[in-house]
Amino acid sequence: MKILHTSDWHLGATFEGIGREEDHKFFLNWLIPFLKEQEIVVLIIAGDLFDQTQPSAEAQRIYYQFLLSVSQKTDVKKVIIVGGNHDSPTRLDAPAELLKLLDVFIVGGISVDGKDFSRYLCSLKNEQNAVELVVAAVPFIHEYRLGVRTSMHNESEIHSLFKEKIQNFYFDLADAAEQIAQDAPIIATGHMACRGSELDDAPQEIHMIGTMGGLPSAIFDSRYSYIALGHIHRAYRVDQSNAYYSGSPIPLSIKESNYPRYVQLISYEKGSKAKTVQKIEVPVLRKILEVKSNLEQIHSILLNISWQTPMPPILAISVQVNSYHSGLDLELKNILKNKFQDASPIIAYIRQIPAKSDNNVLASKEAFSLKELTPEQVFLKMCDTYNEIVDENLLQAFRSLLNEENI
């Protein structure tokens, strides 16, 4: 029995205004035959299916067309989808009853009655009607839903309370899953930041606990033979445990383009809980490349740029200058156009940044786009601009407001 774990598709995402629809279609066109060839029986998408809570019509079209293709062109028995922090729980849940006709099981968000565990449990049965697998489909859970109020505690207390609450949830859910599974393996999902993640492994922090490091693997009951995690955009195993991240299947940032993209393949021997886990590299349509140097070197880099992907890369260009260079954008675009014609790389942005100089105060300050900064980083920069002293109380108040706004 083979299960495929993927997450963080972020359908509808852009990079500096450049749509990524073609990148997503390229991935899904690879995924459909892979599901068929590998005889995958369960596909798990562990949150952040969409990039925004109100996805575009095109993003939704890609999503529904994919689910139809899975039903018509593969032997997948069940597609399990859980909501992430970027998803709208109600929007995901709305067509859930209809999508059951395509063997799609959806849990968009945590229910008001957190103890109604039947909502999260999906079982897979064989031809003899015996249970082969139980999946505890857990979506993103905001600490507020667990009764944790960030404005009432200090960071240490929040960390301890949230860890206790979410651990109890997973342990109680394992009890309910075990009653259905009997001797069959149990898999869980989750959308959170666990240990081993780095600050830029995900677009934003989603819990107050994120300010103190990720959650430990001990929150997951040992009865879960595999935990399919989402939110972190890099594929790795958490603390040598049964919890794994698959990462995002397309590079959504410059850093993500520096590393391969993966899905996780989980295989069980028939009638056994023993498993193997294999990272499968995903082909990408194009990369996002950062080009940063002085103008002369930028010219040389652009004239000699090459790629092995089906499409040319997206370029993020930062030019070090002593003074503002008018007409620079057109100059660099013409270099690429003359060199590559219709197969030219796309330029996401061209930024002029001060060259390093002892006499230049701006030299030590990087040019930032608001899209590159988290809300907290913007807040700190604003405080710095207005000479506002940021102490722990002010920072904690801001984080509380931010978290409660994103419930």
Side-chain angles (χ1 to χ4, degrees):
M1 180 172 56
K2 293 182 179 179
I3 297 98
L4 196 73
H5 163 209
T6 178
S7 73
D8 296 271
W9 290 7
H10 288 272
L11 296 174
T14 62
F15 180 78
E16 297 291 332
I18 298 172
R20 309 302 303 283
E21 290 87 359
E22 294 305 314
D23 303 73
H24 281 117
K25 290 176 184 177
F26 184 81
F27 162 63
L28 297 177
N29 287 338
W30 168 84
L31 183 57
I32 291 293
F34 182 83
L35 295 172
K36 177 70 173 178
E37 293 164 7
Q38 291 294 318
E39 300 179 335
I40 303 298
V41 296
V42 176
L43 171 65
I44 297 175
I45 308 174
D48 281 356
L49 181 68
F50 295 107
D51 191 59
Q52 298 177 344
T53 55
Q54 297 185 13
S56 67
E58 177 63 11
Q60 294 181 74
R61 191 194 69 78
I62 292 172
Y63 166 54
Y64 290 117
Q65 182 59 56
F66 169 75
L67 294 180
L68 182 61
S69 295
V70 172
S71 177
Q72 294 179 337
K73 300 178 181 179
T74 77
D75 299 318
V76 171
K77 294 182 179 180
K78 193 71 68 175
V79 178
I80 296 175
I81 300 171
V82 297
N85 59 295
H86 278 252
D87 298 311
S88 164
T90 53
R91 186 179 291 275
L92 280 185
D93 283 334
E97 289 301 314
L98 181 61
L99 290 177
K100 283 182 180 179
L101 298 175
L102 299 180
D103 292 316
V104 179
F105 183 86
I106 298 176
V107 183
I110 200 83
S111 61
V112 175
D113 180 8
K115 294 298 183 180
D116 180 18
F117 293 124
S118 62
R119 167 175 162 73
Y120 310 105
L121 298 177
C122 178
S123 59
L124 186 74
K125 296 182 179 180
N126 60 21
E127 295 178 353
Q128 289 74 41
N129 206 35
V131 175
E132 288 186 306
L133 176 74
V134 173
V135 179
V138 183
F140 164 63
I141 307 176
H142 195 282
E143 57 259 34
Y144 195 91
R145 289 287 188 182
L146 295 175
V148 179
R149 301 296 182 263
T150 57
S151 58
M152 300 170 62
H153 306 278
N154 61 38
E155 284 194 358
S156 178
E157 291 170 335
I158 294 166
H159 185 283
S160 177
L161 185 58
F162 183 57
K163 175 187 170 185
E164 176 188 348
K165 292 279 189 179
I166 201 165
Q167 179 172 305
N168 289 342
F169 181 88
Y170 272 102
F171 274 56
D172 290 345
L173 187 56
D175 289 337
E178 192 173 42
Q179 294 179 15
I180 301 173
Q182 300 300 324
D183 293 326
I186 303 172
I187 286 178
T189 72
H191 194 88
M192 63 186 73
C194 287
R195 284 181 182 168
S197 62
E198 300 173 1
L199 287 176
D200 51 1
D201 277 335
Q204 65 186 79
E205 290 178 352
I206 54 176
H207 294 115
M208 181 68 176
I209 195 172
T211 64
M212 298 188 68
L215 289 158
S217 59
I219 65 169
F220 303 114
D221 192 289
S222 60
R223 286 171 287 182
Y224 298 120
S225 62
Y226 183 89
I227 302 98
L229 295 176
H231 180 57
I232 301 303
H233 289 189
R234 176 169 52 87
Y236 72 95
R237 183 180 182 183
V238 181
D239 291 342
Q240 298 302 306
S241 68
N242 288 333
Y244 293 78
Y245 285 101
S246 64
S248 55
I250 74 167
L252 296 164
S253 68
I254 294 170
K255 180 181 177 180
E256 290 176 27
S257 283
N258 293 328
Y259 304 98
R261 304 287 93 201
Y262 296 100
V263 293
Q264 300 277 15
L265 178 61
I266 309 100
S267 302
Y268 289 93
E269 293 295 330
K270 187 173 182 179
S272 172
K273 293 183 181 180
K275 70 179 187 305
T276 58
V277 180
Q278 182 183 4
K279 283 200 303 186
I280 305 296
E281 186 170 346
V282 175
V284 297
L285 180 66
R286 55 185 169 176
K287 294 186 176 183
I288 305 171
L289 300 182
E290 182 180 37
V291 181
K292 185 176 182 180
S293 191
N294 59 47
L295 185 55
E296 182 180 353
Q297 290 178 328
I298 292 285
H299 279 194
S300 177
I301 292 170
L302 295 184
L303 286 170
N304 292 284
I305 197 167
S306 63
W307 56 89
Q308 285 75 48
T309 52
M311 281 186 62
I314 297 172
L315 301 181
I317 302 175
S318 296
V319 186
Q320 297 168 351
V321 296
N322 294 316
S323 60
Y324 181 73
H325 191 302
S326 62
L328 179 60
D329 287 26
L330 183 59
E331 177 183 332
L332 298 184
K333 288 176 182 177
N334 282 337
I335 289 175
L336 290 172
K337 183 178 180 181
N338 293 334
K339 172 71 174 179
F340 299 105
Q341 303 300 321
D342 294 335
S344 174
I346 298 175
I347 296 178
Y349 63 73
I350 298 173
R351 294 178 185 156
Q352 299 186 39
I353 59 176
K356 292 184 178 181
S357 169
D358 294 338
N359 297 321
N360 190 345
V361 177
L362 294 176
S364 61
K365 294 189 176 181
E366 258 189 276
F368 285 101
S369 163
L370 280 177
K371 294 179 181 178
E372 297 174 322
L373 301 175
T374 65
E376 185 170 312
Q377 288 171 326
V378 173
F379 175 69
L380 293 173
K381 286 182 178 295
M382 290 297 294
C383 289
D384 182 57
T385 299
Y386 290 100
N387 296 316
E388 179 71 38
I389 297 175
V390 181
D391 58 17
E392 187 58 35
N393 290 332
L394 179 61
L395 195 55
Q396 184 174 327
F398 173 79
R399 289 167 176 166
S400 298
L401 288 172
L402 182 65
N403 278 319
E404 292 183 11
E405 177 70 20
N406 289 324
I407 293 173

